[in-house]
């Protein structure tokens, strides 16, 4: 039986649940029915949000804020700690955090907003902000930023601007996670290479990989199949080659231009040259790295720093990505706070939300423990941050971070069109030019459809 | 599911009912059966009928759940799917091809292996119940469990299967999850291992329903084992076979979890099944209108295949 829904429907009810009364069941059924019908039929409200006058601080009765995010790993535990610390300082405000895997987070929270069950605050990856702004499920935060006294001066410019959609701000950056070069020092040392001097340019990177190959080590396991990471290396190299993924309006794909082809050719060459194993999927590179079979991994500090730190005896360090092209660039993402649209906003509740945003932004140094680099410049420049070895190495790349363009629907184009094409090439089933051309055609189609779809919402 | 008919109520007591009682009082109020059906109909209506009709309505629009503007496009979504120059159509039919291939590869195994197993498990031997449980056991696992399990086992570079094959002297690691034809071997193999228990149990119930005297009669007439199988077992199992075939085709055509978790559609979307593509279009890109149109095309095809199934079996029976 391949249909899981059928199976799940047979699962017996949890006997530990108190059996509900008949009235409750009927009531629940009626509510679900009406909510379902109404929720399904009514179209969402995109009208301008008018916010009440919000007092400077929250001084009402105890209140619980609902905070949704996709931090399901060790970072989630740290965020929960931060929420508790916040509550210790603000006893009237409790922050109840729900962590939902990112992929379902972006499906569930818009649905929650549309059906009137919106959480108060959310944390999302910056490349989803424009999409959700266009959907009208998050509200503009221009005023909020002003109130808590955040401005471009306090952030690195690229990160701060990545919260903007058109002329308006929709999110407050918490952190930034540029893809970085993680290297296994023991593997390098065993091959007679200097474990303290990771290669930082194309020539030395290729030489290092060649030296490793001579020692029968595939030095850079390049995932050919990976829902998250397969294309990020390509993005970085493409930008380094001086290419662009899309044109400025986000209406046309440019990744099939010579720079993109060159980038992808370089990547697939690594596999052909034996610098990477073939058919590497998802977590293999990581497993190999932890078992001293792989020297280099390109990845985000948010996931990897915590992950590697938890492995005893793993001798690793991190540096910015090597410069394969001419212009330094690293793919990066950023977690950003958003405020969900409510059917109606209460002044007190908003005051509590602002208080939380203010507090967590000021205390983002603690968040660096989870791996990413805090978005606030004062935090990155602090002595405490400098004491975090790995994180501060990653932060060296802050000037070269690149984000996806801030257009609605962009992540779908990347994840459902471009990345599968990269995957096809890395599995050596197509030539770079051919695969990228085909993907560009599809991407143009979806970009155009997205543009029409979201045009009205953004107007 | 058992094919045994519920025991018929024994013949009514011969004495006459109290004559004065009107007929419908004995049968109850005419609405009674409908009241008994009502709870199911409510669930059916809310979770099946309404969504199905509503989906049809959605498929006629350029629909995004989260946007207020949902322009009417009539049959536009359907026409796009039959337009050979449309990229969506090309991908959709690619995914339909993947689904078709999976059905083609998996159904014969899912029909024949459980039948053989059921024949074995229907014999008398010590530990029979233990083996019945063993073969059924994987079926109780969820798709995410088997997905994760086999992903570890079949991984080309760090998986246990390739490690074992390597120990046996196989030099080149097999790309179980990333190259044709291995992806199909993996998907079909995992699915057969996972779900064969269900069909086996259905066959077993069917076998136990065949009248033992038929076998005795056949033996008296000098039938061999092979004759018994073809002339007693198979005809006796016909209704069960029809059920198993239909349900297996439908289940295989709805394959999603295994490919989603194991191959992610790799290589080059060759194992991206129709359901996967529909989910991607509708629930990731939120192009729900097109996604709904695809679902209806798939549903119509499946209805067609099932109807054909019934027709073929009926013609056989008429012969």
């Amino acid at each position: 039986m391949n249909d899981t829904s059928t199976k799940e429907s047979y699962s017996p009810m949890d006997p530990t649940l108190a059996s509900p009364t008949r009235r409750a069941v009927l009531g629940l059924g009626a509510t679900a029915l009406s909510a379902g019908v109404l929720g399904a039929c009514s179209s969402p409200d995109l009208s301008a949000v008018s916010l009440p006058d919000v007092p400077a601080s929250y001084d009402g009765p105890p209140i619980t804020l609902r905070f949704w995010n996709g931090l399901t790993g060790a970072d989630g535990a740290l965020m929960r700690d931060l929420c508790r610390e916040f509550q210790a300082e603000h006893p009237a405000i409790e922050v109840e955090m729900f962590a939902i895997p990112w992929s379902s987070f972006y499906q569930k929270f818009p649905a929650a907003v549309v059906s009137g069950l919106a959480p108060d605050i959310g944390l999302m990856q910056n490349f989803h902000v424009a999409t959700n702004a266009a959907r009208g499920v998050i509200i503009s935060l221009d005023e909020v930023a002003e109130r808590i006294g955040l401005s471009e001066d306090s952030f690195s410019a690229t990160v701060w601007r990545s919260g903007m959609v058109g002329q308006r701000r929709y999110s407050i950056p918490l952190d930034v996670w540029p893809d970085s070069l993680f290297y296994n020092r023991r593997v390098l040392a065993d091959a007679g290479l200097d474990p303290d001097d990771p290669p930082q340019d194309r020539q030395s990177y290729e030489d290092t990989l060649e030296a490793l190959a001579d020692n029968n080590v595939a030095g850079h396991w390049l995932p050919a199949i990976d829902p998250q990471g397969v294309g990020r290396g390509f993005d970085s190299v493409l930008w380094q080659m001086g290419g662009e993924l899309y044109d400025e309006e986000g209406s046309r794909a440019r990744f099939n231009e010579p720079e993109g082809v060159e980038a992808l050719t370089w990547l697939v060459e690594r596999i052909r040259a034996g610098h990477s194993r073939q058919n590497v999927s998802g977590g293999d590179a990581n497993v190999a790295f932890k078992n001293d079979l792989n020297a280099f991994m390109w990845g985000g500090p948010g996931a990897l720093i915590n992950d590697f730190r938890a492995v005893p005896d793993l001798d690793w360090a991190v540096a910015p990505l090597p410069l394969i092209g001419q212009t330094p660039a690293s793919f990066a993402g950023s977690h950003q706070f958003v405020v969900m649209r409510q059917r109606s906003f209460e002044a007190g509740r908003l005051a509590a939300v602002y208080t939380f945003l203010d507090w967590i932004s000021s205390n983002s140094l603690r968040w660096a423990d989870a791996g990413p680099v805090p978005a606030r410049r004062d935090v990155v420049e602090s002595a405490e941050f400098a004491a975090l070895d790995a994180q501060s190495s990653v932060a060296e790349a802050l000037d070269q971070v690149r984000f996806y363009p801030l257009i609605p629907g962009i992540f779908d184009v990347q994840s459902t069109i471009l990345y599968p094409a990269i995957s096809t090439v890395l599995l050596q089933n197509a030539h770079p030019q051919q695969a990228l051309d085909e993907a560009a055609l599809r991407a143009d189609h979806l970009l155009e459809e997205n543009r029409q779809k979201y045009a009205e919402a953004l107007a | 599911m058992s094919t045994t008919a519920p025991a018929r109520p024994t013949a009514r007591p011969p004495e006459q009912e109290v004559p004065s009682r009107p007929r419908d009082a004995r049968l109850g109020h005419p609405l009674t059966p409908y009241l008994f059906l009502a709870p199911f109909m409510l669930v059916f209506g809310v979770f099946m009928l309404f969504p199905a009709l509503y989906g049809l309505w959605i498929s006629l629009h350029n629909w995004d759940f989260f946007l207020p503007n949902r322009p009417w496009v009539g049959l536009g979504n359907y026409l796009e799917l039959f337009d050979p120059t449309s990229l969506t159509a090309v991908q959709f039919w690619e995914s339909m091809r993947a689904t078709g291939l999976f059905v083609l590869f998996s159904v014969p195994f899912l029909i024949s292996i459980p039948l053989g197993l059921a024949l074995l498990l229907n014999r008398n031997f010590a530990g029979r119940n233990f083996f019945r449980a063993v073969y059924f056991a994987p079926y109780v696992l969820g798709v995410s469990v088997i997905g994760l399990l086999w992903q570890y086992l079949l991984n080309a570079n760090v998986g246990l299967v390739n490690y074992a094959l390597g120990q046996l002297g196989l030099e080149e690691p097999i790309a179980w999850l990333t190259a044709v034809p291995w992806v199909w071997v993996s998907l079909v193999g995992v699915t057969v291992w996972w779900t064969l228990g269900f069909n086996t149990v259905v066959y077993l119930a069917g076998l136990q329903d065949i009248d033992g005297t038929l076998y005795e009669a056949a033996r008296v007439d000098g039938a061999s084992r092979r004759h018994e199988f073809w002339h007693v077992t198979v005809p006796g199992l016909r209704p069960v076979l029809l059920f198993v075939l239909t349900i297996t085709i439908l289940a295989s055509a709805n394959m999603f979890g295994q490919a989603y978790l194991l191959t992610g559609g790799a290589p080059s979307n060759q194992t991206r099944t129709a359901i996967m593509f529909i989910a991607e279009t509708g629930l990731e890109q939120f192009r729900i209108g097109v996604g709904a149109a695809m679902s209806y095309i798939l549903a119509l095809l499946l209805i067609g295949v099932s109807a054909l199934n019934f027709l073929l079996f009926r013609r056989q029976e008429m012969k």
Side-chain angles (χ1 to χ4, degrees):
Chain A
M1 169 89 38
N2 311 302
D3 179 359
T4 51
S5 62
T6 326
K7 293 184 68 173
E8 275 157 16
S9 63
Y10 288 133
S11 68
M13 279 184 49
D14 185 348
T16 57
L17 289 173
S19 62
T21 65
R22 182 171 162 274
R23 187 180 292 269
V25 170
L26 289 177
L28 198 68
T31 321
L33 182 64
S34 50
V37 172
L38 290 177
C41 297
S42 66
S43 58
D45 175 20
L46 279 185
S47 55
V49 177
S50 64
L51 296 181
D53 283 333
V54 179
S57 65
Y58 181 74
D59 55 1
I63 191 173
T64 303
L65 298 180
R66 296 197 305 149
F67 171 31
W68 285 20
N69 56 48
L71 306 171
T72 49
D75 45 4
L78 193 76
M79 185 55 86
R80 274 179 220 280
D81 285 347
L82 285 172
C83 291
R84 271 192 289 273
E85 264 173 53
F86 167 77
Q87 201 190 343
E89 287 180 34
H90 301 85
I93 311 173
E94 185 193 354
V95 179
E96 201 180 2
M97 180 179 128
F98 296 90
I100 306 162
W102 286 117
S103 54
S104 37
F105 172 79
Y106 295 111
Q107 295 171 8
K108 281 184 180 155
F109 100 80
V113 173
V114 171
S115 45
L117 300 165
D120 299 286
I121 317 162
L123 186 70
M124 65 171 66
Q125 294 149 319
N126 62 326
F127 35 85
H128 284 281
V129 170
T131 315
N132 287 294
R135 291 179 188 288
V137 291
I138 55 178
I139 62 168
S140 163
L141 298 183
D142 283 313
E143 281 171 53
V144 184
E146 211 167 291
R147 266 181 77 109
I148 20 186
L150 295 177
S151 69
E152 186 164 327
D153 300 338
S154 22
F155 290 85
S156 99
T158 330
V159 180
W160 178 246
R161 286 187 199 146
S162 76
M164 307 283 290
V165 182
Q167 296 304 310
R168 314 195 68 179
R169 161 158 308 280
Y170 280 90
S171 58
I172 308 251
L174 168 69
D175 63 16
V176 52
W177 17 281
D179 269 2
S180 305
L181 176 73
F182 288 82
Y183 53 100
N184 185 318
R185 298 178 73 250
R186 192 176 300 132
V187 174
L188 291 178
D190 286 351
L193 298 156
D194 182 358
D196 296 312
D197 183 26
Q200 287 286 293
D201 59 68
R202 178 168 178 165
Q203 193 57 51
S204 62
Y205 194 68
E206 288 174 7
D207 290 347
T208 308
L209 288 173
E210 203 52 45
L212 287 164
D214 291 341
N215 278 284
N216 281 323
V217 175
H220 179 174
W221 287 37
L222 200 61
I225 305 265
D226 187 352
Q228 267 124 47
V230 67
R232 282 164 46 167
F234 167 76
D235 295 336
S236 296
V237 180
L238 169 132
W239 283 318
Q240 291 190 357
M241 299 278 183
E244 288 296 335
L245 289 169
Y246 306 96
D247 67 356
E248 274 181 36
E249 296 83 45
S251 58
R252 204 171 56 79
R254 288 186 55 190
F255 48 68
N256 60 334
E257 290 176 3
E259 294 85 358
V261 177
E262 202 185 337
L264 191 48
T265 308
W266 183 80
L267 289 173
V268 78
E269 274 304 317
R270 304 284 66 75
I271 300 176
R272 294 226 179 87
H275 299 161
S276 166
R277 291 282 196 96
Q278 302 193 359
N279 300 310
V280 176
S281 66
D284 302 14
N286 192 306
V287 173
F289 189 92
K290 289 176 182 164
N291 287 287
D292 297 335
L293 296 168
N294 178 11
F296 298 124
M297 267 191 81
W298 294 20
L304 294 182
I305 289 185
N306 253 316
D307 191 17
F308 292 158
R309 211 162 35 189
V311 183
D313 300 333
L314 183 62
D315 189 7
W316 62 279
V318 59
L321 288 187
L323 179 58
I324 304 303
Q326 305 80 40
T327 327
S330 315
F331 163 86
S334 161
H335 290 123
Q336 313 206 335
F337 282 105
V338 293
V339 174
M340 273 64 166
R341 173 196 280 264
Q342 307 288 334
R343 290 259 164 95
S344 64
F345 285 96
E346 295 160 38
R349 186 164 272 274
L350 272 177
V353 167
Y354 297 172
T355 312
F356 177 69
L357 291 183
D358 187 13
W359 183 89
I360 200 137
S361 179
S362 323
N363 288 277
S364 54
L365 176 68
R366 289 271 284 104
W367 177 241
D369 269 346
V373 179
R376 275 171 74 132
R377 189 175 283 171
D378 53 343
V379 176
V380 176
E381 284 164 0
S382 69
E384 291 96 325
F385 182 76
L388 300 169
D389 285 340
Q391 283 87 337
S392 46
S393 306
V394 170
E396 286 168 29
L398 273 188
D399 297 332
Q400 66 187 55
V401 299
R402 291 290 307 261
F403 295 117
Y404 296 147
L406 309 169
I407 19 180
I410 197 62
F411 185 73
D412 302 329
V413 186
Q414 291 286 119
S415 70
T416 64
I417 295 174
L418 175 58
Y419 288 178
I422 308 288
S423 177
T424 304
V425 174
L426 296 183
L427 287 173
Q428 304 180 61
N429 291 329
H431 291 292
Q433 183 78 59
Q434 170 204 349
L436 289 176
D437 281 347
E438 208 173 299
L441 260 178
R442 290 180 185 182
D444 286 351
H445 186 73
L446 185 55
L447 286 168
E448 180 54 34
E449 206 177 286
N450 280 344
R451 233 156 60 99
Q452 285 175 9
K453 195 163 80 170
Y454 294 119
E456 192 199 11
L458 282 180
Chain B
M1 181 171 305
S2 159
T3 51
T4 339
R8 295 228 169 70
T10 42
R12 288 208 183 78
E15 72 262 34
Q16 290 291 312
E17 302 281 337
V18 187
S20 63
R21 238 181 184 179
R23 195 182 134 77
D24 43 341
R26 187 174 35 121
L27 290 176
H29 195 272
L31 282 180
T32 309
Y34 299 102
L35 278 173
F36 273 108
L37 284 174
F40 173 76
M41 286 311 288
L42 187 74
V43 173
F44 178 78
V46 172
F47 293 105
M48 296 289 297
L49 201 62
F50 171 70
L53 294 177
Y54 191 44
L56 204 59
W57 178 246
I58 288 178
S59 74
L60 303 175
H61 295 79
N62 188 355
W63 189 288
D64 184 321
F65 188 65
F66 305 113
L67 292 182
N69 193 11
R70 296 158 174 177
W72 168 269
V73 293
L75 291 177
N77 286 331
Y78 292 93
L79 292 178
E80 192 191 348
L81 292 176
F82 288 102
D83 174 2
T85 60
S86 147
L87 291 165
T88 314
V90 172
Q91 295 182 75
F92 173 63
W93 292 107
E94 259 174 29
S95 72
M96 289 290 272
R97 177 176 174 272
T99 295
L101 283 177
F102 182 75
V103 171
L104 214 62
F105 296 150
S106 68
V107 170
F109 293 109
L110 286 170
I111 296 293
S112 56
I113 298 179
L115 179 58
L117 265 180
L119 289 172
L120 284 178
L121 293 174
N122 198 33
R123 308 173 99 170
N124 268 322
F125 60 94
R128 182 173 73 164
N129 282 336
F130 171 75
F131 282 102
R132 284 182 180 178
V134 164
Y135 286 110
F136 192 74
Y139 186 68
V140 302
L141 300 175
V143 69
S144 40
V145 177
I146 65 118
L148 206 62
L149 181 73
W150 285 99
Q151 202 189 351
Y152 286 128
L153 291 174
L154 291 174
N155 187 301
N157 289 297
V158 295
L160 206 59
V161 172
N162 272 354
Y163 174 76
L165 290 175
Q167 296 293 310
L168 292 176
L170 195 82
E171 303 249 317
E172 189 76 2
I174 294 177
W176 291 108
L177 302 177
T178 50
V180 181
W182 302 112
V183 278
W184 290 118
V185 175
S186 309
L187 287 175
V188 171
V190 167
T191 307
V192 168
W193 167 80
W194 180 34
T195 63
L196 97 179
F198 178 77
N199 286 355
T200 307
V201 166
V202 177
Y203 279 131
L204 261 177
L207 286 175
Q208 286 164 6
D209 214 32
I210 298 175
D211 197 340
T213 54
L214 292 175
Y215 288 103
E216 280 166 26
R219 246 168 268 150
V220 168
D221 287 347
S224 68
R225 281 264 168 179
R226 197 162 54 86
H227 285 120
E228 273 180 31
F229 175 75
W230 285 112
H231 298 290
V232 180
T233 310
V234 170
L237 276 181
R238 193 190 306 282
V240 179
L241 266 173
L242 173 63
F243 171 76
V244 170
L245 186 64
T246 311
I247 220 80
T248 307
I249 290 179
L250 291 181
S252 288
N254 283 326
M255 198 268 269
F256 169 71
Q258 300 96 306
Y260 186 75
L261 293 164
L262 283 175
T263 65
S268 316
N269 291 332
Q270 289 195 61
T271 58
R272 180 169 67 178
T273 62
I275 302 273
M276 245 170 107
F277 185 60
I278 291 170
E280 195 176 280
T281 311
L283 301 176
E284 280 178 42
Q285 300 177 348
F286 291 111
R287 298 155 72 208
I288 299 179
V290 192
M294 292 176 195
S295 312
Y296 279 98
I297 294 178
L298 178 64
L300 277 179
L301 270 173
L302 290 181
I303 291 174
V305 171
S306 306
L308 206 68
N309 244 340
F310 274 94
L311 275 179
L312 284 177
F313 269 83
R314 183 183 283 179
R315 256 175 68 194
Q316 285 250 319
E317 240 156 60
M318 305 256 269
K319 264 198 252 171

